[in-house]
Amino acid sequence: MALPKPGLLGWQLPKPGLLGWQLEDEIRRLKKERNAILLAHYYQESDIQDLADHVGDSLGLARAAQKATADVIVFAGVHFMAEVAKILNPERIVVLPDFTAGCSLADGCPPEAFRHFLDAHPGHTVVSYINCSAAVKAMSDIICTSSNAVKIIEQIPRDQPIIFAPDQHLGRFVAKQAGRDLVLWPGSCIVHETFSEKKILALKLRHPDAELIAHPECEESVLRHANFVGSTTALLKYAVTSKADTIIVATEEGILHSMRRDAPQKTFIPAPPEDESCACNQCPHMRKNTLEKLYLCLRDLEPRLELDEPLRLAAKRPIDRMLEMSTGV
Ligand code: 13P
Ligand code: SF4
């Protein structure tokens, strides 16, 4: 496959005046030309979700990346997700539209500090949420996502002490579900921490028949009012099958696009953040990806994920363990 070369002035911008639908056509054309697969997370803007070959949660997207046969994987999500795709596909080109699309959980768990934390708790099995860097994965025994975390913890012998990182709220939720004590790294998601218990309760008073569904990255003060707690895919499935006509959704609001598409007769209300004047229930990292950047990364096959082989292999081991331990999820 011939790769484009950067011009003298660097990578060119899309042709000025390209309209939304023209960009979409160009993206479809380039996807074919490059033999590329587009994986998108539910938190991506709706236009990107609609163009994707596979929309999913972190586990679903890791599995889709594992099965990929295309020459190029375009990952419309955040950096750690594209990194997982590269860890599983060293021979394929993996690009993401905006290389700076990080994650407050991954950024809040620097590898050096994590090493000190592990040294302070010797003899523990280290279970890390997939929202972390390759370097943190390489120091972990097993990776988990929000859809398999409980199942994975339950498979570890009860007398074995466990460190859970980097999301303390997911860790607390899992500890409660599995009836285990976990040593928690004190990280959190900037989006899920903004939901306000007080405002959600006020909303429930205005919609007495509404159900509340929440992602386990939310604080316990929100989770305790939820009719259902689950990963983004689990929330979507629940939203479609629940008998409730109105559902309050406590997770990033991008998922409402898939919910409204799959259950158009229902009313979905985004859970309110504490400060309702901000768009705090949109992940600023996920939203860095735009149609324009998606077009550019397909055209230029940049920015690319690259990993040193020893780091890739060390980070792959706990991901493989997760995939082995999550059959049936
Ligand atoms: P899921 O695995 O549920 O998609 O969660 C990913 C994420 O980043 C949640 O904030
Ligand atoms: Fe990270 Fe939170 Fe954004 Fe998910 S929503 S990618 S956990 S910052």
Side-chain angles (χ1 to χ4, degrees):
M1 185 180 38
L3 300 184
K5 296 262 183 296
L8 277 180
L9 297 173
W11 304 106
Q12 290 167 347
L13 291 170
K15 293 180 205 115
L18 217 52
L19 299 171
W21 64 268
Q22 290 169 315
L23 263 181
E24 288 170 17
D25 280 353
E26 281 294 290
I27 289 167
R28 282 192 201 94
R29 183 185 66 75
L30 282 168
K31 231 156 43 84
K32 273 202 199 117
E33 198 174 295
R34 303 259 180 262
N35 186 22
I37 184 173
L38 173 58
L39 306 181
H41 191 268
Y42 290 117
Y43 296 165
Q44 292 296 286
E45 62 173 69
S46 53
D47 293 343
I48 295 181
Q49 289 189 42
D50 290 344
L51 283 165
D53 298 290
H54 187 93
V55 185
D57 66 1
S58 309
L59 182 63
L61 293 173
R63 283 180 171 144
Q66 191 191 26
K67 284 195 224 133
T69 53
D71 293 324
V72 177
I73 299 174
V74 182
F75 213 116
V78 290
H79 188 276
F80 77 81
M81 295 178 173
E83 200 169 58
V84 169
K86 184 66 186 176
I87 290 168
L88 296 171
N89 289 280
E91 72 292 353
R92 297 184 212 292
I93 294 172
V94 178
V95 289
L96 81 160
D98 190 317
F99 212 71
T100 67
C103 166
S104 64
L105 282 166
D107 299 344
C109 188
E112 315 74 47
F114 193 56
R115 170 48 58 212
H116 290 307
F117 188 75
L118 300 190
D119 290 346
H121 301 90
H124 285 61
T125 294
V126 182
V127 180
S128 294
Y129 189 32
I130 199 163
N131 298 39
C132 64
S133 63
V136 166
K137 287 186 175 79
M139 286 182 243
S140 308
D141 297 302
I142 314 167
I143 297 304
C144 71
T145 73
S146 52
S147 42
N148 59 20
V150 175
K151 183 162 179 178
I152 282 177
I153 296 292
E154 283 174 345
Q155 290 175 68
I156 300 171
R158 289 201 78 82
D159 57 353
Q160 175 59 40
I162 302 171
I163 286 177
F164 189 92
D167 187 8
Q168 57 178 305
H169 302 303
L170 174 64
R172 250 175 234 119
F173 172 76
V174 171
K176 206 166 153 193
Q177 295 292 307
R180 297 287 289 263
D181 283 331
L182 303 177
V183 176
L184 302 177
W185 174 270
S188 57
C189 162
I190 45 168
V191 179
H192 289 86
E193 263 195 346
T194 60
F195 296 119
S196 152
E197 178 188 20
K198 220 169 88 197
K199 293 201 169 151
I200 288 175
L201 291 180
L203 194 60
K204 282 187 83 156
L205 278 179
R206 291 209 298 280
H207 301 275
D209 297 329
E211 286 194 333
L212 171 69
I213 61 175
H215 195 279
E217 287 175 17
C218 293
E219 291 178 350
E220 156 45 33
S221 59
V222 168
L223 295 181
R224 68 168 167 247
H225 301 290
N227 299 85
F228 180 75
V229 177
S231 74
T232 47
T233 294
L235 292 178
L236 177 60
K237 278 193 190 140
Y238 184 88
V240 172
T241 52
S242 155
K243 291 208 167 57
D245 291 326
T246 305
I247 301 181
I248 301 167
V249 183
T251 192
E252 215 272 2
E253 74 160 10
I255 197 168
L256 269 70
H257 173 65
S258 294
M259 289 180 175
R260 288 177 178 138
R261 184 201 54 217
D262 292 358
Q265 75 288 6
K266 295 190 184 183
T267 304
F268 295 103
I269 307 175
E274 185 63 50
D275 173 4
E276 288 191 68
S277 67
C278 70
C280 308
N281 56 359
Q282 291 185 359
C283 173
H285 304 290
M286 290 277 183
R287 301 305 173 118
K288 281 186 174 171
N289 296 328
T290 60
L291 273 187
E292 286 79 4
K293 290 181 198 170
L294 179 56
Y295 162 79
L296 286 174
C297 88
L298 261 164
R299 189 192 69 182
D300 302 337
L301 297 181
E302 294 284 347
R304 264 182 223 199
L305 265 290
E306 302 291 356
L307 279 167
D308 287 343
E309 190 59 3
L311 175 61
R312 187 189 75 78
L313 289 173
K316 185 171 181 291
R317 188 183 35 82
I319 296 175
D320 287 342
R321 272 198 88 188
M322 167 184 82
L323 294 169
E324 285 155 26
M325 291 170 82
S326 22
T327 46
V329 180

